Amino acid sequence: MNFDDTFIEFLNGSVSAPLQASTYGSLWLFLPELIVCATIVLMLLARLTSIDKVIPTHWIALLGSLTAFVVMLGHFWNLLNPGVAVDKVVAGTSAEAAISNSEGDPVTVSAGDLVLKLNGQSVNSPDALQALFNGLKANDEFTLTIKKKKSGTESKQELQQRTWYRIVTQNLLAVHTHQHQVVLSGVVKETGNLGLQVHTRDPRQTMFTGLAVHDDFSVYFRGFLLFFLVFVVALTVLSGIPDQDDAPDFYTLLCGAVVGMMVMSSANHLLMMFLGVEMASVPSYAMTGFLKGRRQSSEAALKFVVYGAGAAGVMLFGISLLAGITGTAEFGELGSRLHSIFASGFGLTHKAAPIVLLGMLLITVGFAFKLSLVPFHFWCPDAFQGASAEVAGFLSIASKAAAFALLVRFSMAVTGCSAGVISGLSLALGLGLGTLAIITSTFGNLAAYSQSNAKRLLAYSTIAHAGYMLMAVAALLVLRSTVGTPTAPTSDEMMRAIEGLLYYLAVYMFMNLGAFTIVALIRNQLFSEEIDDYKGLVQQAPLLAICMAICLFSLVGLPPLGGFYGKFFIFAAVFDATRIHWFMWVVLAAGGLNTVLSLFYYLRVAKVMCIDARPAGARPVTITSGSPSGMYVLLLSAMVLLLGVIVEPLSRVAHHAAAAFF
């Protein structure tokens, strides 16, 4: 094959890999990231040509992030409604239906596999369908419903996940699809000629020759990050950080970090995993030290860089060990390669076990740094205190969301064959992460007690919440360790663990961003971030005091706020895992105890703002509900309340994203 043929095949995608998007298709799926990259280029050009003096850079950043988010919504809609290809097929009167499996091989459909209805009349075979269709004459209207019959062992969610149809026909004018059902309606063009074929379509596609993956899970997190980017840009406009001179540099770093995080959430290769982590980390270092006139900010950035460089080196060494022992860097192959290595059984006596466990441990160090898990949390309090509240809020939410997306995908990859001999590896990873979650949440809550600076207190709060969210991943791995055994959990139980994590992250975005926003707005008027200076603010700015109390109580997990359901879903997943291993009872008890402990330091901040008297001569704080800043805070607080009252829509979306792995 010459170069031209090879290049054309590369552009159009390999025939042998039906679930791999072509290069053109990959660029379309990757379009939101490309739009953010184009936004970065536009901001830099505006800086070079001094256009930013006329058109503020934040408008370019806001427009670019909104455009990328709208495109991502389109991707999500396409996954929910995969559409139907209408094409002309070879002439004939056959109504034979065929379904292809995940490898694209044809599978014969028996009479009982499909539920067929023509104009409301049920038929039990393609031949019977053809007989009914022959009774229709040209120009007769018809409605044909094709539905995959549910077996006795699968749930409705499992049926919806695995049954996607592609209809190829020459007679049908209008087609409507809804996951597990296809409804076709139109007018017969030729008497007795149907020519219908039915095929499944997997919503999961790999991009760029398998380096990244496009599925419901990645679309959820990429949309989450873009949605959050819009909120952060709006916050910086309201708070005035950065100023107009530094805005192009700041928004370039902000958008660059988001692109790296989006790459993390869709990584399907060990090197893409590392590339995404570094693309997200390097701009974060610069944003931490962006307040150039403050020595504390520069010191925080230096600590962040030193710890980050060390963690990156350790993680890369772990990646090289794992790739070397398995002979692959593709996520889709890791599980099967580990299964082959430990075909005789997983155990510490196996000669490959120390290398695999060491590699996994070193990779976990990289995740622990991004998630600020104990004992790799040292950078977090100093970085948050030294950086502006806007940057601290961004790091506390976006970096954790991307890191958890990557951690879940990596964990599912290495335990992909947990029904076999490496189930012990899945259990060991789950129990190890559970132990780390207990230590992290406990330390974060205890350390927050003695803090007098609001940003530093929220930093330790962030550490504690990383521990809560890690419990969901631990529960998932423990549940997966029994797949294929009599005690195996259902797919719904495993999906609930991921669903709880996704729901918690969505609520966490609003309540944590709300807290940091209020800190930033108060800082602009008091020139202080000390908690003691917040005394009696309810008398001057009742909106800020009440909204801060809502956000803090949601962080505790009190009903009827969104944080309550977030923690409830995670603890429910941990409870499901208790029947697999007794240690998960310890994890569940630690989560409940830490929730009670956290109430006291959150309550202290609310007491200072809402109960204590305002000192005489204190600087005034005047932010009304009608101001742009007031409406922004009201919106965040309203979302925290809304997600605690109306749970089902977001829960359904999170469940749909979690189903990408099952």
Side-chain angles (χ1 to χ4, degrees):
M1 182 181 291
N2 58 33
F3 174 78
D4 291 340
D5 293 337
T6 305
F7 184 67
I8 294 300
E9 183 177 348
F10 169 73
L11 291 178
N12 294 327
S14 173
V15 177
S16 61
L19 300 182
Q20 177 176 302
S22 66
T23 303
Y24 296 127
S26 297
L27 290 174
W28 165 250
L29 297 177
F30 202 67
L31 185 59
E33 287 86 344
L34 295 178
I35 292 174
V36 179
C37 291
T39 302
I40 294 173
V41 173
L42 287 176
M43 290 188 292
L44 293 177
L45 289 176
R47 176 66 176 267
L48 290 174
T49 57
S50 299
I51 295 178
D52 61 312
K53 306 297 183 183
V54 180
I55 303 175
T57 312
H58 62 256
W59 286 114
I60 302 176
L62 194 60
L63 180 62
S65 56
L66 276 172
T67 304
F69 177 68
V70 171
V71 172
M72 186 55 67
L73 285 180
H75 285 334
F76 188 70
W77 177 257
N78 288 337
L79 286 175
L80 288 176
N81 301 274
V84 173
V86 179
D87 197 2
K88 188 169 184 176
V89 298
V90 178
T93 60
S94 173
E96 182 180 354
I99 294 183
S100 61
N101 61 18
S102 59
E103 286 76 30
D105 301 324
V107 178
T108 302
V109 180
S110 64
D113 283 343
L114 292 177
V115 178
L116 303 171
K117 288 185 178 181
L118 181 62
N119 291 338
Q121 185 173 353
S122 298
V123 291
N124 57 8
S125 71
D127 290 337
L129 172 64
Q130 181 67 56
L132 280 177
F133 204 91
N134 288 340
L136 298 176
K137 298 188 176 3
N139 299 320
D140 285 351
E141 295 183 358
F142 71 92
T143 299
L144 174 65
T145 301
I146 306 172
K147 185 175 181 180
K148 188 71 173 64
K149 185 175 292 185
K150 185 171 78 74
S151 66
T153 58
E154 64 182 342
S155 65
K156 181 179 178 182
Q157 288 80 7
E158 291 172 323
L159 173 68
Q160 291 178 350
Q161 174 61 22
R162 71 175 180 81
T163 310
W164 298 72
Y165 291 104
R166 178 172 61 87
I167 305 301
V168 183
T169 180
Q170 64 187 42
N171 298 313
L172 306 176
L173 301 180
V175 182
H176 171 69
T177 66
H178 183 67
Q179 294 181 317
H180 64 299
Q181 178 172 296
V182 183
V183 179
L184 308 100
S185 59
V187 178
V188 180
K189 291 184 178 179
E190 182 180 348
T191 302
N193 192 354
L194 178 61
L196 172 68
Q197 291 179 310
V198 185
H199 299 270
T200 58
R201 191 185 88 172
D202 194 328
R204 184 181 188 273
Q205 288 182 291
T206 57
M207 301 183 289
F208 305 113
T209 66
L211 292 176
V213 65
H214 177 82
D215 57 13
D216 295 336
F217 186 78
S218 67
V219 168
Y220 179 93
F221 273 98
R222 291 158 68 198
F224 175 95
L225 292 167
L226 290 172
F227 185 65
F228 180 61
L229 176 61
V230 173
F231 272 85
V232 173
V233 173
L235 171 60
T236 58
V237 174
L238 295 173
S239 65
I241 289 182
D243 57 27
Q244 187 172 353
D245 291 336
D246 292 333
D249 300 332
F250 181 85
Y251 291 121
T252 296
L253 293 170
L254 183 66
C255 293
V258 169
V259 171
M261 293 169 186
M262 294 172 73
V263 170
M264 288 172 63
S265 65
S266 55
N268 196 42
H269 194 278
L270 289 175
L271 292 183
M272 282 294 286
M273 177 176 77
F274 181 75
L275 180 64
V277 169
E278 288 305 290
M279 286 178 64
S281 297
V282 174
S284 300
Y285 303 151
M287 284 192 294
T288 301
F290 206 78
L291 299 178
K292 298 181 288 292
R294 294 181 57 187
R295 178 177 178 180
Q296 191 177 41
S297 179
S298 301
E299 290 179 354
L302 181 60
K303 288 182 180 180
F304 199 2
V305 170
V306 171
Y307 281 118
V314 170
M315 187 179 192
L316 186 58
F317 185 43
I319 289 173
S320 65
L321 288 177
L322 187 60
I325 196 67
T326 58
T328 183
E330 296 182 9
F331 280 7
E333 296 289 331
L334 286 176
S336 59
R337 296 293 179 89
L338 288 172
H339 187 277
S340 300
I341 291 172
F342 297 109
S344 59
F346 177 79
L348 295 178
T349 56
H350 196 287
K351 62 180 181 180
I355 299 176
V356 172
L357 291 177
L358 179 60
M360 298 289 290
L361 179 63
L362 297 181
I363 292 174
T364 303
V365 169
F367 284 117
F369 168 76
K370 291 301 296 180
L371 294 171
S372 60
L373 303 178
V374 176
F376 305 99
H377 67 285
F378 296 109
W379 64 271
C380 184
D382 292 333
F384 279 33
Q385 187 174 4
S388 64
E390 296 83 350
V391 172
F394 172 76
L395 294 178
S396 70
I397 299 166
S399 62
K400 283 188 172 38
F404 271 115
L406 185 55
L407 177 60
V408 170
R409 196 176 291 282
F410 176 75
S411 300
M412 296 294 287
V414 296
T415 61
C417 295
S418 58
V421 293
I422 63 169
S423 59
L425 176 62
S426 180
L427 181 62
L429 288 175
L431 297 180
L433 292 180
T435 304
L436 198 59
I438 293 174
I439 296 172
T440 300
S441 57
T442 303
F443 177 84
N445 285 321
L446 292 177
Y449 274 96
S450 58
Q451 304 306 315
S452 59
N453 182 276
K455 286 192 301 185
R456 199 171 182 87
L457 181 143
L458 290 174
Y460 282 110
S461 167
T462 296
I463 294 172
H465 283 273
Y468 296 137
M469 288 183 265
L470 190 62
M471 292 177 183
V473 184
L476 171 66
L477 292 174
V478 171
L479 289 169
R480 280 179 64 80
S481 68
T482 59
V483 171
T485 67
T487 60
T490 64
S491 296
D492 279 345
E493 286 181 308
M494 291 187 285
M495 278 192 285
R496 274 202 296 268
I498 303 178
E499 177 188 348
L501 174 63
L502 302 188
Y503 193 94
Y504 196 94
L505 280 168
V507 177
Y508 185 72
M509 175 183 71
F510 291 109
M511 57 190 182
N512 215 48
L513 181 61
F516 276 104
T517 297
I518 293 170
V519 170
L521 296 177
I522 295 174
R523 173 209 62 204
N524 285 351
Q525 301 202 21
L526 293 184
F527 305 105
S528 172
E529 293 165 343
E530 296 298 312
I531 296 174
D532 286 342
D533 292 330
Y534 292 180
K535 287 183 177 180
L537 278 181
V538 71
Q539 302 168 21
Q540 296 181 345
L543 173 68
L544 296 185
I546 294 173
C547 289
M548 177 65 102
I550 291 173
C551 293
L552 293 178
F553 289 146
S554 183
L555 286 167
V556 174
L558 299 180
L561 304 173
F564 168 76
Y565 284 101
K567 283 189 177 178
F568 176 80
F569 289 147
I570 288 180
F571 290 166
V574 176
F575 178 78
D576 289 338
T578 56
R579 67 181 178 85
I580 307 298
H581 198 281
W582 62 267
F583 184 73
M584 299 309 292
W585 283 110
V586 180
V587 176
L588 183 61
L593 179 61
N594 275 285
T595 299
V596 175
L597 291 176
S598 66
L599 175 64
F600 295 99
Y601 65 84
Y602 288 129
L603 191 61
R604 177 168 66 93
V605 178
K607 169 185 170 296
V608 168
M609 297 182 71
C610 299
I611 297 178
D612 290 357
R614 188 74 177 147
R619 287 179 178 270
V621 177
T622 54
I623 294 181
T624 63
S625 58
S627 64
S629 299
M631 289 188 287
Y632 183 86
V633 172
L634 272 176
L635 175 62
L636 294 175
S637 302
M639 288 303 300
V640 173
L641 286 167
L642 187 65
L643 292 176
V645 177
I646 305 175
V647 180
E648 202 271 339
L650 179 59
S651 177
R652 186 170 63 248
V653 172
H655 187 90
H656 189 85
F661 293 106
F662 302 96

